[in-house]
Amino acid sequence: GYSDREDTAIEMGPLDNSQAAGGGGYSDGRFFNLLDDAARQMAQIDEHIGLIANLHEQALAVTSESKYRQISSDRDQLVADTNGIIAGVKQNLDILARTVDDPTSSKEQRVLYATRQQTLAKKFSEQLQRYRQMEYQYSQRNRERLERQYRIARPDATDEEVANAIDNDQAGQVFAQSVMHSNRIGDARRVLRDVEERQADIKKIDKTISELAQMFVEVSEMVNRQQEVIDSIDTAVEETQVHVESGRKEVNTAIVLRIKARKKLWIILFISIIIIVVIVLIVYFTVIKK
C-alpha cells in the first residue's frame, strides 16, 4: 500500500524572504518567469495525476501479491514526487502574490500582477480538486473491495459493523480469526495480507485527501485576497480618475472665466479710449479752437 514515508506529505518549507523581497522592486521579466515556472509545474502535476489514476486502476485489478507491491511502490514514489511539485507551485504562487504589495510598482502593474496570479491560482485550485476527487474515488473503491472481503468472512455483519471494522482496523482481526477455521489456510492468509495492505492504502489516501483539502482552502483564500486587492486598486484608480476629471472641469471653468474677464477688460479699455477721444474733441472744439 502507500508507504509510511513522510515525504509524501504536502508540506511547505519556510519562504525565503530574499525571493519575495528581490532587493528592491519586481521586474516584469522576473514575475512572468515565476508565472511560467508555476504553469509548467502544474502541467507536470496533471500528467502525474493521470499516471497515479492508472496505477490505482492496476492496484485494484491485480491479483499477484508481488505485482501489487511493485505497483504500490511505484505509486508511492509518484505521489511523493507529485506532492513535492504541488508544494513548489504553492510557494511560487505565494511569492507572486507578494509582488502585488511592492510599493515601487504602478497601480496598473499591480492590477496586472494580481490578475495573472489570481488566474493561475484559480486553475491550481481546480487542479487540486480534481486530484482530491480522483483519490477519493479510489479510496471508495478500495473500501468497497474490503467490504466484500469482510462479508465473505462475516456474512451476517451489518453495514454499520462492516464500516466500523474497516475504520477501526478490525477487518484484519476478523480475517485472522477466519484463518483458524479455514481449510484453505494459504488462501485465507493471502486475503488477510491483502486486507491489511488495502487498509493501509485507505489511511494514506485519506491523509492525502485531507492535505489536498487544506491546500485547496489556502489557495481559495489567496484567490479571494487577490480579488480584494484588485477591487481596491480599481476603486483607487476610479477615484483618481474622478478627481482628475473634476480638476479638469475646474481648470476649464477657470479658463472660461479668465477669457470672459479679459474680454471685459478689453471692452472697458475700448470704452475708456472712446471717452478720452470724446473729451479731447470737446476740449478742442470748445476751448482751444475758440
Side-chain angles (χ1 to χ4, degrees):
Y2 273 44
S3 69
D4 295 329
R5 290 181 306 219
E6 293 299 324
D7 59 356
T8 58
I10 305 173
E11 297 178 353
M12 289 295 299
L15 184 63
D16 183 356
N17 288 330
S18 65
Q19 289 180 293
Y26 294 87
S27 67
D28 283 346
R30 183 164 177 262
F31 177 86
F32 287 108
N33 283 340
L34 280 173
L35 202 70
D36 290 342
D37 286 344
R40 281 192 293 269
Q41 289 172 316
M42 288 170 58
Q44 193 173 7
I45 291 170
D46 270 335
E47 182 182 351
H48 281 204
I49 291 174
L51 294 173
I52 292 170
N54 183 52
L55 289 172
H56 281 334
E57 291 295 331
Q58 293 182 42
L60 285 169
V62 72
T63 55
S64 167
E65 288 184 52
S66 60
K67 184 65 175 175
Y68 177 78
R69 290 195 180 96
Q70 181 60 52
I71 293 171
S72 297
S73 176
D74 293 343
R75 183 184 55 193
D76 291 344
Q77 184 59 56
L78 191 57
V79 168
D81 293 344
T82 304
N83 290 348
I85 299 171
I86 287 174
V89 173
K90 176 60 164 55
Q91 186 162 354
N92 275 340
L93 288 174
D94 284 334
I95 296 172
L96 290 169
R98 295 190 181 204
T99 65
V100 181
D101 298 324
D102 179 22
T104 66
S105 300
S106 66
K107 289 180 180 178
E108 292 78 8
Q109 193 175 34
R110 291 176 64 197
V111 169
L112 172 65
Y113 285 171
T115 302
R116 294 298 297 271
Q117 192 274 354
Q118 184 193 52
T119 299
L120 194 65
K122 285 180 179 178
K123 291 180 179 178
F124 184 49
S125 66
E126 293 168 359
Q127 186 177 60
L128 293 176
Q129 281 287 71
R130 291 196 302 273
Y131 187 15
R132 185 173 65 166
Q133 183 63 25
M134 183 268 291
E135 290 286 78
Y136 174 77
Q137 290 173 352
Y138 173 69
S139 178
Q140 288 300 107
R141 292 174 66 186
N142 230 352
R143 289 180 66 90
E144 291 169 2
R145 177 169 178 153
L146 279 179
E147 288 174 5
R148 289 194 297 270
Q149 291 175 322
Y150 188 91
R151 290 187 184 279
I152 292 174
R154 288 281 306 278
D156 57 338
T158 65
D159 291 344
E160 185 178 359
E161 288 173 339
V162 172
N164 289 336
I166 294 173
D167 292 336
N168 299 324
D169 298 331
Q170 295 174 6
Q173 297 176 15
V174 172
F175 280 105
Q177 293 171 5
S178 71
V179 169
M180 299 172 58
H181 305 289
S182 174
N183 293 325
R184 302 170 61 187
I185 294 178
D187 289 343
R189 285 175 176 168
R190 178 182 57 77
V191 173
L192 174 59
R193 285 193 296 270
D194 183 62
V195 168
E196 291 173 341
E197 289 174 344
R198 292 185 185 279
Q199 277 186 310
D201 270 4
I202 290 174
K203 285 184 178 180
K204 197 66 180 180
I205 292 174
D206 287 347
K207 184 172 181 291
T208 298
I209 290 172
S210 177
E211 291 166 353
L212 289 170
Q214 178 60 34
M215 180 74 76
F216 175 79
V217 170
E218 293 175 6
V219 175
S220 296
E221 290 174 350
M222 179 190 297
V223 170
N224 293 334
R225 286 196 302 270
Q226 292 301 79
Q227 187 59 50
E228 291 174 0
V229 170
I230 294 170
D231 291 342
S232 65
I233 295 175
D234 285 344
T235 300
V237 170
E238 289 174 1
E239 290 176 352
T240 300
Q241 290 174 342
V242 169
H243 292 156
V244 169
E245 181 64 22
S246 176
R248 187 183 65 80
K249 289 180 179 178
E250 291 177 0
V251 169
N252 289 339
T253 301
I255 292 173
V256 170
L257 292 175
R258 186 174 178 181
I259 292 172
K260 288 181 178 179
R262 188 174 296 174
K263 185 176 180 181
K264 287 180 180 179
L265 181 62
W266 279 108
I267 292 173
I268 292 172
L269 181 61
F270 180 73
I271 293 173
S272 299
I273 292 172
I274 292 175
I275 292 173
I276 292 172
V277 169
V278 170
I279 293 173
V280 170
L281 290 174
I282 292 173
V283 170
Y284 175 77
F285 284 106
T286 59
V287 177
I288 297 177
K289 195 169 182 182
K290 286 182 180 181

PDB file of all heavy atoms in Angstrom, residues 21-46:
ATOM      1  N   ALA A  21      11.534  39.576  -1.485  1.00  0.00           N
ATOM      2  CA  ALA A  21      11.958  40.968  -1.442  1.00  0.00           C
ATOM      3  C   ALA A  21      12.628  41.368  -2.729  1.00  0.00           C
ATOM      4  O   ALA A  21      12.387  42.428  -3.273  1.00  0.00           O
ATOM      5  CB  ALA A  21      12.902  41.183  -0.270  1.00  0.00           C
ATOM      6  N   GLY A  22      13.549  40.511  -3.203  1.00  0.00           N
ATOM      7  CA  GLY A  22      14.157  40.729  -4.512  1.00  0.00           C
ATOM      8  C   GLY A  22      15.104  41.902  -4.577  1.00  0.00           C
ATOM      9  O   GLY A  22      15.512  42.328  -5.632  1.00  0.00           O
ATOM     10  N   GLY A  23      15.497  42.461  -3.419  1.00  0.00           N
ATOM     11  CA  GLY A  23      16.475  43.536  -3.440  1.00  0.00           C
ATOM     12  C   GLY A  23      15.937  44.821  -4.038  1.00  0.00           C
ATOM     13  O   GLY A  23      16.663  45.618  -4.584  1.00  0.00           O
ATOM     14  N   GLY A  24      14.622  45.037  -3.945  1.00  0.00           N
ATOM     15  CA  GLY A  24      14.071  46.320  -4.363  1.00  0.00           C
ATOM     16  C   GLY A  24      13.328  46.251  -5.679  1.00  0.00           C
ATOM     17  O   GLY A  24      13.896  46.395  -6.746  1.00  0.00           O
ATOM     18  N   GLY A  25      12.040  46.030  -5.588  1.00  0.00           N
ATOM     19  CA  GLY A  25      11.213  46.084  -6.779  1.00  0.00           C
ATOM     20  C   GLY A  25      11.170  44.783  -7.559  1.00  0.00           C
ATOM     21  O   GLY A  25      12.023  43.929  -7.421  1.00  0.00           O
ATOM     22  N   TYR A  26      10.128  44.657  -8.376  1.00  0.00           N
ATOM     23  CA  TYR A  26       9.944  43.475  -9.201  1.00  0.00           C
ATOM     24  C   TYR A  26       9.975  43.898 -10.662  1.00  0.00           C
ATOM     25  O   TYR A  26       9.428  44.923 -11.032  1.00  0.00           O
ATOM     26  CB  TYR A  26       8.602  42.807  -8.887  1.00  0.00           C
ATOM     27  CG  TYR A  26       8.507  42.233  -7.503  1.00  0.00           C
ATOM     28  CD1 TYR A  26       8.101  43.022  -6.439  1.00  0.00           C
ATOM     29  CD2 TYR A  26       8.819  40.905  -7.264  1.00  0.00           C
ATOM     30  CE1 TYR A  26       8.007  42.509  -5.167  1.00  0.00           C
ATOM     31  CE2 TYR A  26       8.723  40.384  -5.978  1.00  0.00           C
ATOM     32  CZ  TYR A  26       8.315  41.192  -4.942  1.00  0.00           C
ATOM     33  OH  TYR A  26       8.225  40.681  -3.682  1.00  0.00           O
ATOM     34  N   SER A  27      10.591  43.076 -11.469  1.00  0.00           N
ATOM     35  CA  SER A  27      10.577  43.332 -12.901  1.00  0.00           C
ATOM     36  C   SER A  27       9.523  42.441 -13.531  1.00  0.00           C
ATOM     37  O   SER A  27       9.198  41.375 -13.013  1.00  0.00           O
ATOM     38  CB  SER A  27      11.949  43.024 -13.509  1.00  0.00           C
ATOM     39  OG  SER A  27      12.214  41.634 -13.448  1.00  0.00           O
ATOM     40  N   ASP A  28       8.990  42.912 -14.678  1.00  0.00           N
ATOM     41  CA  ASP A  28       8.019  42.092 -15.397  1.00  0.00           C
ATOM     42  C   ASP A  28       8.628  40.749 -15.779  1.00  0.00           C
ATOM     43  O   ASP A  28       7.964  39.709 -15.697  1.00  0.00           O
ATOM     44  CB  ASP A  28       7.555  42.823 -16.657  1.00  0.00           C
ATOM     45  CG  ASP A  28       6.552  43.924 -16.344  1.00  0.00           C
ATOM     46  OD1 ASP A  28       6.037  43.939 -15.216  1.00  0.00           O
ATOM     47  OD2 ASP A  28       6.293  44.767 -17.221  1.00  0.00           O
ATOM     48  N   GLY A  29       9.911  40.775 -16.171  1.00  0.00           N
ATOM     49  CA  GLY A  29      10.573  39.528 -16.565  1.00  0.00           C
ATOM     50  C   GLY A  29      10.624  38.534 -15.432  1.00  0.00           C
ATOM     51  O   GLY A  29      10.338  37.349 -15.625  1.00  0.00           O
ATOM     52  N   ARG A  30      10.974  38.991 -14.240  1.00  0.00           N
ATOM     53  CA  ARG A  30      11.065  38.098 -13.081  1.00  0.00           C
ATOM     54  C   ARG A  30       9.693  37.546 -12.706  1.00  0.00           C
ATOM     55  O   ARG A  30       9.540  36.369 -12.383  1.00  0.00           O
ATOM     56  CB  ARG A  30      11.669  38.861 -11.901  1.00  0.00           C
ATOM     57  CG  ARG A  30      11.886  38.012 -10.658  1.00  0.00           C
ATOM     58  CD  ARG A  30      12.826  38.721  -9.691  1.00  0.00           C
ATOM     59  NE  ARG A  30      12.984  37.945  -8.479  1.00  0.00           N
ATOM     60  CZ  ARG A  30      12.308  38.168  -7.359  1.00  0.00           C
ATOM     61  NH1 ARG A  30      11.455  39.157  -7.311  1.00  0.00           N
ATOM     62  NH2 ARG A  30      12.492  37.423  -6.290  1.00  0.00           N
ATOM     63  N   PHE A  31       8.692  38.410 -12.747  1.00  0.00           N
ATOM     64  CA  PHE A  31       7.338  37.984 -12.407  1.00  0.00           C
ATOM     65  C   PHE A  31       6.845  36.913 -13.374  1.00  0.00           C
ATOM     66  O   PHE A  31       6.352  35.860 -12.966  1.00  0.00           O
ATOM     67  CB  PHE A  31       6.392  39.189 -12.437  1.00  0.00           C
ATOM     68  CG  PHE A  31       4.946  38.836 -12.178  1.00  0.00           C
ATOM     69  CD1 PHE A  31       4.463  38.747 -10.892  1.00  0.00           C
ATOM     70  CD2 PHE A  31       4.084  38.572 -13.234  1.00  0.00           C
ATOM     71  CE1 PHE A  31       3.130  38.414 -10.652  1.00  0.00           C
ATOM     72  CE2 PHE A  31       2.759  38.239 -13.008  1.00  0.00           C
ATOM     73  CZ  PHE A  31       2.288  38.158 -11.710  1.00  0.00           C
ATOM     74  N   PHE A  32       6.989  37.175 -14.673  1.00  0.00           N
ATOM     75  CA  PHE A  32       6.461  36.238 -15.666  1.00  0.00           C
ATOM     76  C   PHE A  32       7.285  34.955 -15.749  1.00  0.00           C
ATOM     77  O   PHE A  32       6.766  33.909 -16.140  1.00  0.00           O
ATOM     78  CB  PHE A  32       6.342  36.916 -17.026  1.00  0.00           C
ATOM     79  CG  PHE A  32       5.205  37.894 -17.092  1.00  0.00           C
ATOM     80  CD1 PHE A  32       5.444  39.256 -17.114  1.00  0.00           C
ATOM     81  CD2 PHE A  32       3.897  37.453 -17.095  1.00  0.00           C
ATOM     82  CE1 PHE A  32       4.391  40.157 -17.160  1.00  0.00           C
ATOM     83  CE2 PHE A  32       2.832  38.334 -17.144  1.00  0.00           C
ATOM     84  CZ  PHE A  32       3.084  39.705 -17.171  1.00  0.00           C
ATOM     85  N   ASN A  33       8.561  35.016 -15.371  1.00  0.00           N
ATOM     86  CA  ASN A  33       9.350  33.788 -15.275  1.00  0.00           C
ATOM     87  C   ASN A  33       8.799  32.877 -14.183  1.00  0.00           C
ATOM     88  O   ASN A  33       8.674  31.658 -14.369  1.00  0.00           O
ATOM     89  CB  ASN A  33      10.820  34.114 -14.991  1.00  0.00           C
ATOM     90  CG  ASN A  33      11.558  34.598 -16.231  1.00  0.00           C
ATOM     91  OD1 ASN A  33      11.119  34.354 -17.357  1.00  0.00           O
ATOM     92  ND2 ASN A  33      12.667  35.287 -16.033  1.00  0.00           N
ATOM     93  N   LEU A  34       8.475  33.468 -13.038  1.00  0.00           N
ATOM     94  CA  LEU A  34       7.872  32.690 -11.951  1.00  0.00           C
ATOM     95  C   LEU A  34       6.512  32.144 -12.364  1.00  0.00           C
ATOM     96  O   LEU A  34       6.160  31.002 -12.049  1.00  0.00           O
ATOM     97  CB  LEU A  34       7.718  33.569 -10.699  1.00  0.00           C
ATOM     98  CG  LEU A  34       8.953  33.781  -9.833  1.00  0.00           C
ATOM     99  CD1 LEU A  34       8.674  34.815  -8.743  1.00  0.00           C
ATOM    100  CD2 LEU A  34       9.395  32.466  -9.196  1.00  0.00           C
ATOM    101  N   LEU A  35       5.766  32.959 -13.079  1.00  0.00           N
ATOM    102  CA  LEU A  35       4.440  32.536 -13.549  1.00  0.00           C
ATOM    103  C   LEU A  35       4.571  31.343 -14.499  1.00  0.00           C
ATOM    104  O   LEU A  35       3.824  30.361 -14.395  1.00  0.00           O
ATOM    105  CB  LEU A  35       3.761  33.705 -14.257  1.00  0.00           C
ATOM    106  CG  LEU A  35       2.239  33.691 -14.362  1.00  0.00           C
ATOM    107  CD1 LEU A  35       1.611  33.922 -13.001  1.00  0.00           C
ATOM    108  CD2 LEU A  35       1.779  34.792 -15.314  1.00  0.00           C
ATOM    109  N   ASP A  36       5.531  31.410 -15.409  1.00  0.00           N
ATOM    110  CA  ASP A  36       5.757  30.314 -16.356  1.00  0.00           C
ATOM    111  C   ASP A  36       6.231  29.056 -15.643  1.00  0.00           C
ATOM    112  O   ASP A  36       5.837  27.938 -16.000  1.00  0.00           O
ATOM    113  CB  ASP A  36       6.787  30.735 -17.411  1.00  0.00           C
ATOM    114  CG  ASP A  36       6.252  31.787 -18.371  1.00  0.00           C
ATOM    115  OD1 ASP A  36       5.013  31.936 -18.448  1.00  0.00           O
ATOM    116  OD2 ASP A  36       7.061  32.457 -19.024  1.00  0.00           O
ATOM    117  N   ASP A  37       7.097  29.226 -14.634  1.00  0.00           N
ATOM    118  CA  ASP A  37       7.569  28.076 -13.871  1.00  0.00           C
ATOM    119  C   ASP A  37       6.402  27.360 -13.200  1.00  0.00           C
ATOM    120  O   ASP A  37       6.310  26.125 -13.227  1.00  0.00           O
ATOM    121  CB  ASP A  37       8.581  28.524 -12.794  1.00  0.00           C
ATOM    122  CG  ASP A  37       9.928  28.878 -13.398  1.00  0.00           C
ATOM    123  OD1 ASP A  37      10.171  28.507 -14.563  1.00  0.00           O
ATOM    124  OD2 ASP A  37      10.731  29.531 -12.699  1.00  0.00           O
ATOM    125  N   ALA A  38       5.511  28.135 -12.577  1.00  0.00           N
ATOM    126  CA  ALA A  38       4.349  27.545 -11.902  1.00  0.00           C
ATOM    127  C   ALA A  38       3.436  26.845 -12.902  1.00  0.00           C
ATOM    128  O   ALA A  38       2.903  25.766 -12.621  1.00  0.00           O
ATOM    129  CB  ALA A  38       3.575  28.625 -11.144  1.00  0.00           C
ATOM    130  N   ALA A  39       3.261  27.433 -14.080  1.00  0.00           N
ATOM    131  CA  ALA A  39       2.404  26.818 -15.114  1.00  0.00           C
ATOM    132  C   ALA A  39       3.006  25.491 -15.588  1.00  0.00           C
ATOM    133  O   ALA A  39       2.269  24.514 -15.799  1.00  0.00           O
ATOM    134  CB  ALA A  39       2.229  27.775 -16.286  1.00  0.00           C
ATOM    135  N   ARG A  40       4.331  25.457 -15.750  1.00  0.00           N
ATOM    136  CA  ARG A  40       4.986  24.199 -16.162  1.00  0.00           C
ATOM    137  C   ARG A  40       4.837  23.131 -15.071  1.00  0.00           C
ATOM    138  O   ARG A  40       4.603  21.949 -15.369  1.00  0.00           O
ATOM    139  CB  ARG A  40       6.460  24.457 -16.458  1.00  0.00           C
ATOM    140  CG  ARG A  40       6.722  25.090 -17.814  1.00  0.00           C
ATOM    141  CD  ARG A  40       8.197  25.045 -18.178  1.00  0.00           C
ATOM    142  NE  ARG A  40       8.991  25.896 -17.311  1.00  0.00           N
ATOM    143  CZ  ARG A  40       9.260  27.165 -17.561  1.00  0.00           C
ATOM    144  NH1 ARG A  40       8.803  27.733 -18.664  1.00  0.00           N
ATOM    145  NH2 ARG A  40      10.012  27.881 -16.738  1.00  0.00           N
ATOM    146  N   GLN A  41       4.970  23.539 -13.826  1.00  0.00           N
ATOM    147  CA  GLN A  41       4.801  22.595 -12.724  1.00  0.00           C
ATOM    148  C   GLN A  41       3.384  22.036 -12.698  1.00  0.00           C
ATOM    149  O   GLN A  41       3.180  20.840 -12.453  1.00  0.00           O
ATOM    150  CB  GLN A  41       5.112  23.290 -11.394  1.00  0.00           C
ATOM    151  CG  GLN A  41       6.589  23.596 -11.172  1.00  0.00           C
ATOM    152  CD  GLN A  41       6.816  24.451  -9.937  1.00  0.00           C
ATOM    153  OE1 GLN A  41       6.099  25.419  -9.685  1.00  0.00           O
ATOM    154  NE2 GLN A  41       7.815  24.090  -9.157  1.00  0.00           N
ATOM    155  N   MET A  42       2.402  22.898 -12.962  1.00  0.00           N
ATOM    156  CA  MET A  42       1.014  22.445 -12.963  1.00  0.00           C
ATOM    157  C   MET A  42       0.750  21.463 -14.096  1.00  0.00           C
ATOM    158  O   MET A  42      -0.027  20.513 -13.946  1.00  0.00           O
ATOM    159  CB  MET A  42       0.078  23.651 -13.039  1.00  0.00           C
ATOM    160  CG  MET A  42       0.033  24.456 -11.747  1.00  0.00           C
ATOM    161  SD  MET A  42      -0.837  26.034 -11.914  1.00  0.00           S
ATOM    162  CE  MET A  42      -2.449  25.489 -12.484  1.00  0.00           C
ATOM    163  N   ALA A  43       1.391  21.681 -15.251  1.00  0.00           N
ATOM    164  CA  ALA A  43       1.259  20.733 -16.365  1.00  0.00           C
ATOM    165  C   ALA A  43       1.834  19.378 -15.960  1.00  0.00           C
ATOM    166  O   ALA A  43       1.275  18.324 -16.298  1.00  0.00           O
ATOM    167  CB  ALA A  43       1.966  21.271 -17.598  1.00  0.00           C
ATOM    168  N   GLN A  44       2.925  19.404 -15.209  1.00  0.00           N
ATOM    169  CA  GLN A  44       3.534  18.163 -14.742  1.00  0.00           C
ATOM    170  C   GLN A  44       2.626  17.462 -13.730  1.00  0.00           C
ATOM    171  O   GLN A  44       2.501  16.235 -13.730  1.00  0.00           O
ATOM    172  CB  GLN A  44       4.891  18.475 -14.104  1.00  0.00           C
ATOM    173  CG  GLN A  44       5.763  17.250 -13.872  1.00  0.00           C
ATOM    174  CD  GLN A  44       7.156  17.618 -13.395  1.00  0.00           C
ATOM    175  OE1 GLN A  44       7.443  18.781 -13.118  1.00  0.00           O
ATOM    176  NE2 GLN A  44       8.014  16.622 -13.291  1.00  0.00           N
ATOM    177  N   ILE A  45       1.965  18.245 -12.886  1.00  0.00           N
ATOM    178  CA  ILE A  45       1.024  17.677 -11.911  1.00  0.00           C
ATOM    179  C   ILE A  45      -0.118  16.979 -12.631  1.00  0.00           C
ATOM    180  O   ILE A  45      -0.535  15.878 -12.245  1.00  0.00           O
ATOM    181  CB  ILE A  45       0.486  18.770 -10.973  1.00  0.00           C
ATOM    182  CG1 ILE A  45       1.603  19.273 -10.051  1.00  0.00           C
ATOM    183  CG2 ILE A  45      -0.669  18.233 -10.122  1.00  0.00           C
ATOM    184  CD1 ILE A  45       1.228  20.519  -9.259  1.00  0.00           C
ATOM    185  N   ASP A  46      -0.643  17.613 -13.672  1.00  0.00           N
ATOM    186  CA  ASP A  46      -1.728  16.992 -14.451  1.00  0.00           C
ATOM    187  C   ASP A  46      -1.289  15.638 -15.006  1.00  0.00           C
ATOM    188  O   ASP A  46      -2.047  14.653 -14.968  1.00  0.00           O
ATOM    189  CB  ASP A  46      -2.143  17.906 -15.610  1.00  0.00           C
ATOM    190  CG  ASP A  46      -3.240  18.874 -15.228  1.00  0.00           C
ATOM    191  OD1 ASP A  46      -3.997  18.570 -14.291  1.00  0.00           O
ATOM    192  OD2 ASP A  46      -3.335  19.937 -15.854  1.00  0.00           O
TER     193      ASP A  46
END
